[in-house]
Amino acid sequence: MAPNRFSKDRKPRDVTPFRDDAPASIVPLRPTTPGPHRPESPVDPMSDRPVTPAPPEWTSYDAPINFTWVIPDELCGMGWPKSRDQVRFLVDQGIDHLVTLSPEKIPPHYAFPNLKHTLIPVEDFTGPTISEIQKFIEITDDARKEGEAVG
């Protein structure tokens, strides 16, 4: 018979796995990767880990949710930009071409006539088709040739 894990003779563990007993930091921080052009990172006093505060544009109220550069100054990803302020934020970040994947959630791109917009309708909760992927790759290739950023 196998040993019972609920027996009274079982010695409790000293440490619970996957549990961090250190208190959470008050300031939202992200881990850093050392690089040749990156200054020394400050240290979080709560955990003594090197960290870098998130850039202000990542915490802006005008930024679309989850805005981040996938390839700096060329390709970014984000949630649906709902307002003109969020689209203005994208234009201020240097986005020249906005690609929308959901036909139900069209951003207010019409307020910015110099911003190119393309709709690639992908059904919710499904992956894009090969032709939709190829269309997106064509858009990004053309934008790269023109020195434009895609979002």
Side-chain angles (χ1 to χ4, degrees):
M1 187 168 160
N4 184 347
R5 64 181 191 170
F6 300 108
S7 68
K8 294 178 185 173
D9 301 334
R10 186 172 164 261
K11 181 182 172 197
R13 284 190 210 148
D14 293 334
V15 178
T16 304
F18 308 112
R19 182 171 178 189
D20 187 6
D21 293 333
S25 175
I26 298 169
V27 180
L29 302 168
R30 61 184 174 87
T32 62
T33 305
H37 304 294
R38 187 173 284 171
E40 281 296 314
S41 296
V43 175
D44 180 17
M46 302 294 244
S47 65
D48 292 326
R49 293 181 300 163
V51 291
T52 300
E57 64 267 16
W58 290 8
T59 57
S60 168
Y61 290 111
D62 294 336
I65 191 166
N66 295 329
F67 174 85
T68 188
W69 286 102
V70 179
I71 302 171
D73 300 323
E74 287 185 22
L75 178 65
C76 73
M78 74 207 86
W80 168 43
K82 300 176 177 104
S83 67
R84 280 189 263 169
D85 289 337
Q86 290 182 344
V87 177
R88 182 179 296 112
F89 171 85
L90 298 175
V91 171
D92 292 345
Q93 293 299 311
I95 302 299
D96 302 300
H97 197 131
L98 191 59
V99 178
T100 303
L101 302 178
S102 177
E104 294 86 24
K105 297 179 178 179
I106 303 293
H109 61 89
Y110 49 80
F112 301 89
N114 294 333
L115 181 66
K116 297 177 187 174
H117 179 259
T118 303
L119 173 64
I120 303 175
V122 177
E123 188 178 340
D124 279 348
F125 307 108
T126 64
T129 64
I130 297 298
S131 63
E132 291 166 343
I133 293 171
Q134 288 172 335
K135 184 174 182 180
F136 182 77
I137 291 172
E138 288 174 15
I139 291 168
T140 55
D141 285 345
D142 292 343
R144 179 176 271 175
K145 289 175 190 171
E146 298 293 323
E148 298 175 343
V150 177

